[in-house]
């Protein structure tokens, strides 16, 4: 005879303590001796926390005429149930040896709460959720799992209640559903919503587990046969005739994007530029260029931002995200900080140049733009102002920014075109470097600086046999830190 | 107001003889104090003993009924000095704090107290924060007990034993005129269990009695020649008296006096862990019945030579299970046996790890090694080890996870007012370059972790400014020191600020004023905004700072105003003004604020009042996935999600439902010229007629315009 041991891994503020209290109360009201401990401390502040419960049948103890000795911390090979509020916490339990295939039932939510390291990466930093799930499945005797965060969002409750429900549904504890639910009622806080969440958890745990996750396959956009607008119809024809299956999906996305960004003529110029590189007959290269050319040609200027911010789709999206609910009125405010540079970039080029020239005009604008502005998009004034900026779209081709971006795009394409015959792999890497140019203000300046650095490096790399991989490494280095320390290091190491 | 309300627990403090107490270990200790007839209790909050302080703060009535004075001490030295009331008078008193950091601060008072000795029982309850989840340096309280000759209790971790230890401690203290320290590990403090209560006792001798007819005995005061007398008294009278009491009362326990010629001596606090380890090796059952002789030290200082000799007699080998280092107990037992001419060999560190927490598996390994060499045949060699195929499966899984699982370090809560302070500091350092930053103890210490990575040292609670003393000399760049309001009132005002004034330090001292000692559970302090019964609050930090002679002080009433925060820091770092520059950054701890406001708002909405709720969001189509916003904020509710854009791969920023609308995101994107993707959504609940009218007009016009845009886009969309 040994006690039943339960370890709960949760993050601060997720109600791991509440769950532990529920389990203790459940046990004590139904003929068990229970003991619980935790090491809360500062871990409560968003860190990972472990709660530990041991229980033993009171009747058995009385029959044997002795008090069971219950431990204060979980030991590998000794834990019957591990409850984890999130996937990485479940994986952590496995890593700490708490989950063993001979004994442990692992009940976990499969959603991810990204660690600060994962989410502060300058690009993609998330760990491999699929691998974590696989490891959990292999280490546990049973792995009960589903996205409980989704349940919580939908029902508007707390994850501890869903976990409690899953614990009941899974059936590893010698108590029936009624006894579980009575525990929640005895708790007396948020009983109704907790019971709803409990029920969902119960059912999901009973149902067969969802398959372990795999990397999602990219959706391929279907290409319509024709289009009312002859100019667009022509684009469709070109997409069908000039590009192979490997490139068409991306190129189509590019066209779709640029139609939305500017107009059919602009989209056509996109295809012209692509067509220029088609003769190299390298789909990998063409696909990369199709992707990054479209992104570059749809650079985020003030016009684009104002346009996107005022669309009906965007209003719907905000409403869906905020879920104002019931009898409410929703308002949206933007936080914008246009500086002299952005303004000069948005007005027709001559005026822009005049603004940038040192003089009263420049001083005035600079004085007006020292502070950021809050624009109330849902107010008439705010909306009309943003629409006026968005309407500058018609003159976009005459702005300073347009001239600058297009000159750089041409240089970039020339470089790719020149390198492709000798070193197609390097050409692909050069195309991918566009990814570095993103964001606004300081971020955009940093990105452009890094891009220029890498282009200069690619020149020096041309002709070397490892040129492509070298440039890829520099690309990754540029995304390692804001300060550009690693990149500087790598560039200096280059000779 | 503390983070938790203890109204329910207060009821438990009233339980009478025969009734069953069910609850947390540290609350059982609190009840035991009342059962022991204490006249006064004081202490300084901190994990794991905060709840002792918090429940007493909520238990005013109970305390008044029993005539007990309860103080939230300014710091641990104050708490320990409070025990002076037990020197001349038969008053039982208890103080509590976090160990060993609290004892560091209290040691001066403890040394003086133990030198003169006590008349009434004096108890020091220390909450150990060692091992998993600990937030402090890994040291032992044991050394303090030895150096000042204060007796140290380390009871078995179950409520009846802990409660008994409290009651025994007072008697031991009185029997040996020596203060007693009760050591409770963090898990024991948070242990949920039960014990049979006794009636609370009123102190037979009241504090008033002492004040009415004061007594003095110059021989109790630490000044030569008395101090020399004290040392002799300690070894000639108090020590033997203590040993006698421990032996006669059988405070230490012996289990399984079997014929085995090996045995284990263990600290009481490790008993349950040891038993679980023995059970897994097949040497004990779930009830703790074992064939291995055990000597359980519920008193770890002083040791009782007679008991040691008795236990080890006829044994070849004894294993000492003692957590932490140095191994004082193992050394003492070895010496004791040597003096007694006992031949038993003593093992401990070496078979067991020298450092680190003793978990069941750590002990199991040590025991396996011990029995293998000294009692072969006592257990199966592979007992408690996983089957080979199981081990193989686990090894594979662990390899898989090696580079997947990342540390989840503690950080600022959602909407924490300290976040914008460090965001502003990051922005200032971009302009003026990196500075030396002297950090302090408290939530603000999370600044040393990503994404802020700010802070060079921390030298102890309230010592942030003091730790920048040497670097206070004038130069191109100034040292910045950080201190919380908790540390400020604990000692920082004098040790840091006043010191900087007197020594004309050029440093910039940043005091974070969030209305509570937030890290220890949101207790009130002098500068709290809340008006509370029995405590005097609302004493502004700026006033105190000016009072000790600081000339350059800026108070920022809203830390979320990142621009103002940055401005103040820039000015402080560049001003010509001599002496310390002090910035007081004020905003209420969001954890406590939400705890207060959430229910109020919910009620107001239900009552049909007009309530505006705000939260932030990010537009995925303008976000380019650089995540600068996260690197400069690190708010838990600000995360990333897959990019909906088929052409982009980098994930976009995303604000979760947990957002409390503190405003930091917006302020930062302004101050840092970040990106226009952030928006603030305002939701008006129970809108008034005007709200509705304005909304109708707006939706009509904007809706019409948007339909036109949609038509234009649809015309060319694929």
């Amino acid at each position: 005879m040994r006690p039943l041991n339960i370890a709960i891994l949760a993050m601060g503020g997720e109600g791991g303590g509440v769950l532990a209290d529920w389990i203790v109360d459940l046990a004590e009201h139904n003929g068990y001796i229970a003991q619980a401990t935790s090491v809360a401390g500062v871990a409560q502040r968003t860190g990972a926390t472990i709660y530990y419960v041991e229980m033993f049948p009171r009747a058995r103890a009385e029959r044997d005429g002795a008090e069971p000795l219950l431990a204060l911390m979980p030991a590998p090979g000794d834990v019957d149930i591990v409850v984890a509020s999130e996937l990485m916490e479940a994986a952590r339990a496995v890593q700490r040896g708490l989950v063993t295939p001979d004994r442990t039932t692992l009940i976990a939510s499969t959603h991810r709460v990204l660690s600060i390291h994962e989410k502060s990466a300058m690009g993609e930093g998330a760990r491999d959720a699929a691998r974590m799930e696989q490891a959990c499945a292999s280490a546990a005797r049973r792995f009960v799992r589903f996205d409980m965060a989704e349940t919580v969002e939908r029902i508007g409750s707390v994850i501890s209640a869903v976990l409690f429900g899953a614990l009941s549904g899974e059936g590893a504890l010698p108590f029936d559903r009624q006894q579980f639910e009575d525990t929640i009622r005895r708790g007396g806080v948020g009983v109704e919503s907790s019971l709803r969440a409990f029920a969902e958890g119960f059912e999901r745990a009973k149902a067969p587990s969802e398959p372990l996750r795999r990397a999602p396959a990219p959706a391929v956009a279907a290409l319509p046969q024709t289009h009312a607008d002859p100019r667009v119809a022509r684009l469709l024809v070109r997409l069908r005739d000039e590009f192979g299956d490997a490139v068409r999906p991306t190129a189509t996305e590019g066209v779709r994007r640029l139609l939305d960004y500017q107009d059919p003529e602009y989209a056509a110029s996109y295809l012209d530029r692509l067509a220029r590189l088609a003769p190299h007959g390298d789909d990998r290269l063409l696909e990369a260029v199709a992707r990054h050319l479209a992104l570059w040609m749809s650079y985020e200027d003030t016009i684009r931002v104002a346009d996107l911010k005022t669309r009906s789709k965007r209003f719907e999206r905000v409403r869906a995200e905020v879920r104002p609910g019931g009898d409410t009125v929703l308002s949206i405010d933007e936080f914008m900080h246009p500086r002299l540079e952005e303004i000069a970039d948005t007005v027709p080029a001559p005026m822009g140049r005049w603004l940038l020239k040192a003089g009263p005009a420049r001083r005035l604008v600079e004085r007006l733009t020292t502070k950021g502005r809050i624009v109330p998009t849902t107010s008439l004034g705010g909306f009309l102002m943003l629409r006026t900026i968005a309407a500058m779209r018609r003159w976009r081709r005459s702005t300073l920014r347009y001239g600058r971006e297009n000159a750089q795009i041409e240089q970039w394409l020339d470089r790719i075109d020149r390198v492709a015959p000798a070193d197609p792999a390097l050409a692909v890497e050069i195309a991918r470097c566009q990814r570095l140019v993103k964001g606004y203000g300081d971020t955009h300046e940093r990105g452009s600086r890094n891009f220029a650095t890498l282009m200069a490096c690619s020149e020096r790399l041309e002709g070397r046999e490892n040129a492509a991989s070298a440039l890829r490494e520099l690309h990754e280095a540029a995304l390692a830190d804001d300060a550009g320390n690693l990149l500087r290091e790598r560039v200096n190491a280059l000779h | 107001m503390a983070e938790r309300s203890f109204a329910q627990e207060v009821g438990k403090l009233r339980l009478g003889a025969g009734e069953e107490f069910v609850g947390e270990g540290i609350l059982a200790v609190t009840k035991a104090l009342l059962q022991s007839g204490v006249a006064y209790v004081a202490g300084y909050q901190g994990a794991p003993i905060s709840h002792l302080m918090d429940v007493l703060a909520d238990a005013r009535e109970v305390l008044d009924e029993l005539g007990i004075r309860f103080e939230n001490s300014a710091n641990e030295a104050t708490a320990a000095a409070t025990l002076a009331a037990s020197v001349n008078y038969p008053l039982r008193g208890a103080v509590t704090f976090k160990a060993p950091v609290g004892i560091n601060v209290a040691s001066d008072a403890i040394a003086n107290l133990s030198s003169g000795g006590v008349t009434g029982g004096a108890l020091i309850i220390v909450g150990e924060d060692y091992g998993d989840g600990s937030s402090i340096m890994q040291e032992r309280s044991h050394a303090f007990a030895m150096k000042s000759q204060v007796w140290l209790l380390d009871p078995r971790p179950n409520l009846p034993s802990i409660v008994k230890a409290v009651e025994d401690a007072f008697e031991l203290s009185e029997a040996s005129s020596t203060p007693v320290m009760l050591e409770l590990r963090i898990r024991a403090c948070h242990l949920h269990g039960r014990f049979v209560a006794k009636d609370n006792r009123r102190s037979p001798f009241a504090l008033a009695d002492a004040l009415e007819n004061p007594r003095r005995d110059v021989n109790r005061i630490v000044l030569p020649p008395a101090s020399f007398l004290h040392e002799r008294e300690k070894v000639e009278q108090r020590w033997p008296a203590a040993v006698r009491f421990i032996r006669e009362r059988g405070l230490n326990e012996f289990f399984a006096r079997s014929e085995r010629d090996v045995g284990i001596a263990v600290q009481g606090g490790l008993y349950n862990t040891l038993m679980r380890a023995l059970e897994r090796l097949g040497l004990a059952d779930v009830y703790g019945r074992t064939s291995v002789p055990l000597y359980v030290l519920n008193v770890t200082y002083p040791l009782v030579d007679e008991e040691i000799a008795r236990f080890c007699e006829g044994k070849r080998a004894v294993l000492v299970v003692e957590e932490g280092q140095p191994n004082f107990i193992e050394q003492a037992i070895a010496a004791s046996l040597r003096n007694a001419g006992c031949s038993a060999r003593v093992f401990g560190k070496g078979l067991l790890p020298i450092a680190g927490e003793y978990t069941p598996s750590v002990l199991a390994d040590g025991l396996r090694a011990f029995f293998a060499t000294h009692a072969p045949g006592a257990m199966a060699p592979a007992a408690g080890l996983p089957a080979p195929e199981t081990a193989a499966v686990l090894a594979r899984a662990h390899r898989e996870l090696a580079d997947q699982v990342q540390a989840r370090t503690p950080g600022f809560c959602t909407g924490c007012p300290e976040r914008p302070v460090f965001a502003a500091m990051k922005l200032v350092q971009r302009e003026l370059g990196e500075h030396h930053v002297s950090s302090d103890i408290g939530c603000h210490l999370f600044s040393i972790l990503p994404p802020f990575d700010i802070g060079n040292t921390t030298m102890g609670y309230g010592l942030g400014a003091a730790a920048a003393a040497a670097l206070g000399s004038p130069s191109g760049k100034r040292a910045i020191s950080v201190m919380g309001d908790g540390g400020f009132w604990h000692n920082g005002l004098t040790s840091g600020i006043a010191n900087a004034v007197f020594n004309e330090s050029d440093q910039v001292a940043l005091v974070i004023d969030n209305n509570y000692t937030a890290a220890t559970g949101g207790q009130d302090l002098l500068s709290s905004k809340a008006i509370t019964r029995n405590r005097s609050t609302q004493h502004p930090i700026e006033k105190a700072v000016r009072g000790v002679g600081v000339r350059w002080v800026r108070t920022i009433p809203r830390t979320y105003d990142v621009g103002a925060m940055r401005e103040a820091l820039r000015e402080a770092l560049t001003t010509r003004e001599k002496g310390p520059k002090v910035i007081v950054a004020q905003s209420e701890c969001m954890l406590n604020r939400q705890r207060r406001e959430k229910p109020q708002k919910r009620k107001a909405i239900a009552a049909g009042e007009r309530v505006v709720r705000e939260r932030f969001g990010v537009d995925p189509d303008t976000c380019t996935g650089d995540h600068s916003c996260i690197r400069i904020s690190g708010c838990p509710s600000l995360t990333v999600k897959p990019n909906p854009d088929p052409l982009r791969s980098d994930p976009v920023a995303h604000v979760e439902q947990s957002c409390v609308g503190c405003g930091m995101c917006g302020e930062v994107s302004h101050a840092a010229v970040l990106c226009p993707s952030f928006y603030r959504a305002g939701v008006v609940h129970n809108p008034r007629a005007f709200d509705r009218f304005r909304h109708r007009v707006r939706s009509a016009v904007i809706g019409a315009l948007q339909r036109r845009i949609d038509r234009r886009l649809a015309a060319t969309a694929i």
Side-chain angles (χ1 to χ4, degrees), chain A residues 31-352:
Chain A
Y32 272 69
I33 297 166
Q35 175 182 284
T37 58
S38 65
V39 276
V42 289
Q44 283 168 313
R45 309 286 187 254
T46 75
T49 316
I50 289 196
Y51 300 83
Y52 186 57
V53 183
E54 294 203 346
M55 57 177 81
F56 191 85
R58 183 176 299 278
R60 177 62 189 262
E62 280 159 1
R63 182 142 37 82
D64 299 347
E67 273 284 307
L69 266 176
L70 303 178
L72 283 74
M73 59 183 102
D78 206 21
V79 187
D80 301 279
I81 304 170
V82 168
V83 179
S85 63
E86 186 263 359
L87 184 58
M88 190 183 273
E89 293 312 308
R92 193 185 311 283
V94 172
Q95 202 182 36
R96 295 180 69 150
L98 301 183
V99 180
T100 49
D102 53 345
R103 163 161 285 140
T104 317
T105 301
L106 175 58
I107 301 172
S109 174
T110 52
H111 78 284
R112 283 302 327 279
V113 176
L114 297 179
S115 76
I116 186 65
H117 305 276
E118 290 177 288
K119 61 188 193 181
S120 60
M122 287 169 77
E124 174 60 83
R127 302 285 113 183
D128 186 341
R131 270 175 72 186
M132 284 191 242
E133 277 194 7
Q134 297 291 352
C136 288
S138 65
R141 189 173 63 83
R142 266 198 80 202
F143 181 22
V144 178
R145 59 186 181 277
F146 61 91
D147 184 342
M148 303 184 189
E150 179 275 328
T151 312
V152 169
E153 291 259 351
R154 184 155 37 76
I155 299 182
S157 180
V158 285
I159 197 154
S160 44
V162 187
L163 286 163
F164 197 52
L167 183 60
S168 174
E170 194 282 332
L173 286 183
F175 311 110
D176 62 33
R177 179 171 186 165
Q178 189 59 40
Q179 292 168 315
F180 273 85
E181 293 180 330
D182 292 344
T183 308
I184 294 177
R185 293 198 184 85
R186 272 194 301 277
V189 258
V191 173
E192 281 323 306
S193 62
S194 293
L195 284 175
R196 278 202 307 281
F198 174 91
E200 174 100 5
F202 185 91
E203 299 307 335
R204 293 295 297 274
K206 281 233 167 297
S209 296
E210 36 185 64
L212 296 172
R213 83 176 81 188
R214 294 197 173 49
V220 178
L223 197 53
Q225 284 305 315
T226 173
H227 198 283
D229 186 313
R231 299 169 305 170
V232 180
R234 268 197 300 283
L235 294 172
L236 293 179
V237 174
R238 289 188 64 181
L239 281 167
R240 213 170 291 110
D241 303 349
E242 299 175 27
F243 302 97
D245 297 344
V247 182
R248 193 178 300 110
T250 312
T252 308
E253 278 309 326
V255 169
R256 185 177 278 124
R257 184 188 200 82
L258 295 168
L259 285 169
D260 181 275
Y261 182 83
Q262 187 64 29
D263 50 41
E265 291 68 22
Y266 197 56
S269 69
Y270 164 73
L271 290 182
D272 299 340
R273 282 170 159 162
L274 262 188
R276 202 182 123 195
L277 294 173
H280 294 297
D282 180 342
D283 280 350
R284 206 161 135 271
L285 173 63
L286 208 56
E287 198 279 337
V289 176
R291 173 180 306 274
H292 291 284
L293 177 61
L295 287 171
W296 198 336
M297 286 181 70
S298 60
Y299 59 89
E300 290 84 9
D301 56 5
T302 321
I303 298 168
R304 176 65 167 171
V305 171
D307 186 7
L308 290 172
K309 289 271 186 186
T310 43
R311 295 201 179 167
S312 59
K313 269 204 186 53
R314 190 257 177 157
F315 278 40
E316 287 156 23
R317 196 180 57 232
V318 171
R319 183 163 289 282
E321 202 165 289
V322 175
R323 294 204 222 107
D327 173 21
T328 56
V329 169
L330 175 68
S331 66
I332 307 172
D333 298 327
E334 318 296 344
F335 290 78
M336 301 185 156
H337 195 162
R339 300 167 303 173
L340 173 73
E341 296 79 354
E342 281 81 17
I343 294 171
D345 271 346
T346 313
V347 297
M351 188 177 173

Side-chain angles (χ1 to χ4, degrees), chain A residues 3 5 11 24 28 35-39 42 45-48 54 56 60-61 64 66-73 75-76 78 86 88-89 91-92 94-96 99 101 113-115 117-124 127-128 131 135 138 153 224 227 232 253 255-257 259 291 294-295 300 309-312 314-315 317-318 321-322 327-337 339 372-373 378-380 383 387 393 435 438-440 442-443 446 482, chain B residues 3 132 135 157 186-188 190-192 194 271-272 275-276 279-280 286-289 358-361 390 393-394 397-398 400-401 403-406 408-413 443 446 450-451 518-519 591 615-616 619-622 624-628 630-631 634-636 638-640 645-648 650-651 657 666 669-670 672-687 692 695 698 701-702 705-706 709-710 712-713 715-718:
Chain A
N5 306 334
M11 277 160 286
V24 167
E28 290 184 332
Q35 175 182 284
T37 58
S38 65
V39 276
V42 289
R45 309 286 187 254
T46 75
E54 294 203 346
F56 191 85
R60 177 62 189 262
D64 299 347
E67 273 284 307
L69 266 176
L70 303 178
L72 283 74
M73 59 183 102
D78 206 21
E86 186 263 359
M88 190 183 273
E89 293 312 308
R92 193 185 311 283
V94 172
Q95 202 182 36
R96 295 180 69 150
V99 180
V113 176
L114 297 179
S115 76
H117 305 276
E118 290 177 288
K119 61 188 193 181
S120 60
M122 287 169 77
E124 174 60 83
R127 302 285 113 183
D128 186 341
R131 270 175 72 186
S138 65
E153 291 259 351
H227 198 283
V232 180
E253 278 309 326
V255 169
R256 185 177 278 124
R257 184 188 200 82
L259 285 169
R291 173 180 306 274
L295 287 171
E300 290 84 9
K309 289 271 186 186
T310 43
R311 295 201 179 167
S312 59
R314 190 257 177 157
F315 278 40
R317 196 180 57 232
V318 171
E321 202 165 289
V322 175
D327 173 21
T328 56
V329 169
L330 175 68
S331 66
I332 307 172
D333 298 327
E334 318 296 344
F335 290 78
M336 301 185 156
H337 195 162
R339 300 167 303 173
R373 306 214 167 289
T378 42
S379 80
L380 293 183
F383 187 86
R387 275 325 297 176
R393 197 181 88 265
R435 171 174 173 227
K438 59 182 175 182
Y440 308 78
D442 302 349
T443 312
R446 188 203 335 120
D482 305 44
Chain B
E3 210 165 286
D132 188 20
S135 57
I186 188 160
R187 287 186 178 81
H190 296 313
L191 178 70
H192 169 96
R194 43 187 70 219
Y271 175 75
N272 287 38
M275 292 321 293
R276 176 55 53 87
E279 187 211 353
R280 298 192 58 204
V286 65
Y287 301 113
R289 291 181 290 225
Y358 282 2
T359 64
S361 32
T390 310
V393 170
L394 288 175
H398 295 172
E400 271 293 294
L401 291 173
D403 56 351
Q404 295 305 322
V405 178
Q406 293 179 316
R408 191 150 342 235
T409 50
F412 299 113
C413 306
C443 293
F446 298 153
L591 210 59
R615 61 156 287 183
F616 279 71
D619 287 307
D621 48 10
T622 53
T624 56
D626 169 74
H627 314 150
S628 300
I630 292 172
R631 288 192 296 279
C635 179
L638 178 58
T639 180
V640 299
D645 185 331
L647 292 179
R648 284 212 178 93
D650 294 332
Q657 295 292 337
S669 37
H670 270 173
V673 197
L674 215 48
C675 130
S677 303
F678 279 100
Y679 64 81
R680 179 177 60 205
V683 179
V684 184
H685 292 262
N686 308 311
R692 297 179 195 287
H695 181 62
R698 288 173 167 179
V701 180
I702 292 176
L705 289 166
Q706 286 180 326
I709 303 161
D710 293 344
R712 194 202 83 227
L713 291 168
T716 57
I718 300 177

Side-chain angles (χ1 to χ4, degrees), chain B residues 262-279:
Chain B
V262 295
I264 301 171
V266 60
Q267 290 169 301
L270 293 183
Y271 175 75
N272 287 38
T273 311
L274 173 67
M275 292 321 293
R276 176 55 53 87
L278 285 170
E279 187 211 353

Side-chain angles (χ1 to χ4, degrees), chain A residues 418-434:
Chain A
R418 194 185 70 247
V419 171
D423 190 343
L426 178 60
V428 171
E429 288 307 325
I430 292 173
R432 287 185 179 149
C433 284
Q434 180 277 337

